[in-house]
Amino acid sequence: YASHCAALRLVGCSVGSPMSVTFLGMERLALPPRISFAPSFAPSLGHLRSKLPAPRQVAISARSSFVLEGHCENVILESLELDGALHISVHHPRCRLVIRCGLVQNAGWHWTPLEELEGAETSTSPVTEEEAMRGFRVHRTETARYEFFHGGRYVLE
């Protein structure tokens, strides 16, 4: 997450500072905004600059999660103010998508340390091996989700 945050800052976007969290007894871990881009979106900083024609129009809060996955070689991020969770999946290689969202605000995703989980929560949904290694469970409370299955030109507003 940190590398995508740093790259966005380098090109001029506003990205929230990491939050201090504790997982598995390790205190003051830096948890940046959770940003994950498909490699096809921007395999280099130069590609990222070309995908963000107006980087000052992109702001992502500290608590946000932003996932951009799939065939993202033809995705352009023009504007976005994210405070919550946004998940965009591009399933077709000939999909041309312009993201011009303005404000996306919702409850988002929360990372809960395993030691804070209630007994009832772990009995109905046991801790997975992955969660045990990480020391937290991701609660996807609310997400703005968009999927593009066909080729064509789309604008997400």
Side-chain angles (χ1 to χ4, degrees), residues 7-155:
L8 287 172
R9 285 187 194 102
L10 277 173
V11 300
C13 299
S14 173
V15 179
S17 298
M19 298 182 297
S20 181
V21 297
T22 300
F23 296 129
L24 295 176
M26 293 180 280
E27 296 179 7
R28 296 189 302 271
L29 296 174
L31 183 63
R34 279 68 64 200
I35 300 173
S36 178
F37 294 142
S40 62
F41 175 65
S44 71
L45 200 54
H47 284 94
L48 184 61
R49 281 190 179 100
S50 72
K51 299 296 187 125
L52 293 151
R56 302 232 184 273
Q57 298 296 314
V58 176
I60 300 172
S61 73
R63 69 179 198 90
S64 291
S65 301
F66 181 23
V67 177
L68 184 57
E69 67 180 358
H71 296 279
C72 298
E73 48 276 350
N74 297 313
V75 174
I76 301 294
L77 178 53
E78 284 187 1
S79 63
L80 172 64
E81 184 181 350
L82 180 59
D83 184 37
L86 174 61
H87 189 151
I88 299 172
S89 300
V90 180
H91 299 281
H92 197 284
R94 291 197 181 129
C95 176
R96 298 190 183 285
L97 173 64
V98 175
I99 301 168
R100 194 182 300 144
C101 284
L103 178 62
V104 175
Q105 189 172 35
N106 56 47
W109 299 355
H110 305 281
W111 273 237
T112 304
L114 294 182
E115 54 269 15
E116 292 180 14
L117 293 177
E118 300 290 326
E121 184 176 359
T122 55
S123 65
T124 58
S125 179
V127 173
T128 66
E129 184 178 350
E130 181 180 277
E131 291 171 336
M133 288 187 298
R134 290 180 175 170
F136 60 86
R137 175 172 286 168
V138 179
H139 293 276
R140 291 171 176 87
T141 308
E142 187 177 7
T143 307
R145 183 166 177 84
Y146 300 92
E147 296 193 65
F148 298 88
F149 292 97
H150 307 287
R153 295 180 184 271
Y154 302 91
V155 177

